[in-house]
Amino acid sequence: MRPAELLRRPLPTQTAKLTLGCPILDRLLHGGIPCESITEIVAESGSGKTQLALQLLLAAQLPVSDGGLAAASLYLHSEFPFPFRRIHQLLFHRPHSPHNPLDRIFIEPLHSVDHLFDVLPRLDILIPKSNIKLIVIDSVAALFRGEFDNTAPELKRRSGLFFKISSKLKFYARKFGLAVVLTNQVTDVIESSDNLRIGNPVSLCTSGRKVCATLGLSWANCVNTRLFMWREEDRVGDDNVQTRRFLRVVFAPHLPDSSCEFVIRREGLFGV
């Protein structure tokens, strides 16, 4: 685009964002989860990524004036079973609603990458029909676990599937103005005796271990925003260990590298 064309065309309006349900976390993300793009939440098991995803499912139903999208959500889960008990617990602490919030959360189990490709074409009809503005896949890494051998042809085929999945999700995000949130797991970073690091060169730390997001560099190029949750253990006294949790912006086109601490309570996940 030439400079003269910028003068003739209006600048795009600000992208809509979905609240995380906490003003501190929203401030970290400059308003919340952006629509029309893919946001990835990376964390080890038990760090809170699924709980944050559930919180977003409920936040999407809030009116736009409260930071929501006034819409339904689609939750595609490959980690079984679906956490019904936890989402009911979150609902108990939410303000009374004239409708049942669970009626506006569509749940679909995913068993494999092929199953995901069977589901994606149906979204052209389901999204506008059901007023869906949030798609969550929990987790994308589980779909590829054990599906491919560690050979050059298989890794090339896997990378091709990454780009097909992300391009389709980005297409829907832009077409319907919705937010796409994916959860991902971590793997340990291995360093050899000659300081040669095996794996993703960008390492993170959680629970005293160096880790990186699974699926590698090819997948990292498929997401727009990557958030990382990690845990630190502080010894309090002789016998007690306190776990602290943090959320970090690893990369995003609109955000600096920043972080904040958060806690998980019965009523949800909140920054401190």
Side-chain angles (χ1 to χ4, degrees), residues 233-242:
E233 293 185 349
D234 294 336
R235 183 167 296 279
V236 180
D238 296 331
D239 301 323
N240 296 328
V241 175
Q242 179 185 18

Side-chain angles (χ1 to χ4, degrees), residues 158-168 218-219 221-222:
R158 190 182 75 159
S159 296
L161 293 175
F162 289 165
F163 292 113
K164 286 182 180 179
I165 292 171
S166 63
S167 63
K168 194 66 175 176
S218 295
W219 175 252
N221 290 321
C222 293

Side-chain angles (χ1 to χ4, degrees), residues 74-198:
L74 174 63
Y75 188 87
L76 305 173
H77 66 103
S78 56
E79 303 283 359
F80 300 98
F82 179 80
F84 281 107
R85 180 177 178 181
R86 179 53 175 154
I87 200 166
H88 278 288
Q89 192 177 58
L90 293 174
L91 282 172
F92 181 79
H93 296 279
R94 291 295 187 278
H96 176 74
S97 173
H99 62 267
N100 184 355
L102 294 181
D103 291 340
R104 304 178 76 182
I105 299 175
F106 298 88
I107 302 170
E108 177 85 23
L110 292 178
H111 304 286
S112 64
V113 177
D114 290 335
H115 189 190
L116 176 59
F117 279 112
D118 289 339
V119 171
L120 288 177
R122 292 160 30 201
L123 301 186
D124 261 316
I125 298 175
L126 180 62
I127 290 173
K129 179 182 178 181
S130 303
N131 187 30
I132 291 173
K133 290 293 184 181
L134 170 66
I135 295 177
V136 175
I137 300 181
D138 183 19
S139 73
V140 67
L143 297 175
F144 292 89
R145 187 187 299 134
E147 290 281 333
F148 300 87
D149 296 328
N150 193 27
T151 62
E154 284 287 274
L155 293 176
K156 181 179 179 180
R157 184 168 74 91
R158 190 182 75 159
S159 296
L161 293 175
F162 289 165
F163 292 113
K164 286 182 180 179
I165 292 171
S166 63
S167 63
K168 194 66 175 176
L169 291 173
K170 289 177 182 177
F171 168 76
Y172 287 132
R174 290 189 296 266
K175 180 179 180 180
F176 298 108
L178 50 84
V180 177
V181 176
L182 313 176
T183 68
N184 195 0
Q185 300 163 359
V186 299
T187 185
D188 290 338
V189 172
I190 302 173
E191 295 183 348
S192 63
S193 57
D194 56 358
N195 294 325
L196 175 65
R197 180 175 294 169
I198 302 173

Side-chain angles (χ1 to χ4, degrees), residues 11-19 29-39 64 67-69 133 173-174 176-180 224-225 253-254:
L11 293 173
T13 57
Q14 187 177 8
T15 303
K17 293 179 180 176
L18 169 62
T19 178
L29 302 186
H30 291 193
I33 302 293
C35 294
E36 302 184 29
S37 65
I38 297 178
T39 299
V64 175
L69 302 175
K133 290 293 184 181
R174 290 189 296 266
F176 298 108
L178 50 84
V180 177
N224 303 102
T225 300
H254 62 297

Side-chain angles (χ1 to χ4, degrees), residues 40-44 140-141 158 162 182-189 198-206 210-221 223 225-229 250-251:
E40 179 192 48
I41 305 171
V42 177
E44 66 175 323
V140 67
R158 190 182 75 159
F162 289 165
L182 313 176
T183 68
N184 195 0
Q185 300 163 359
V186 299
T187 185
D188 290 338
V189 172
I198 302 173
N200 194 320
V202 179
S203 64
L204 307 163
C205 290
T206 182
K210 287 186 177 181
V211 299
C212 63
T214 60
L215 305 183
L217 185 59
S218 295
W219 175 252
N221 290 321
V223 301
T225 300
R226 170 169 285 174
L227 307 178
F228 174 59
M229 289 177 157
V250 179
F251 62 76

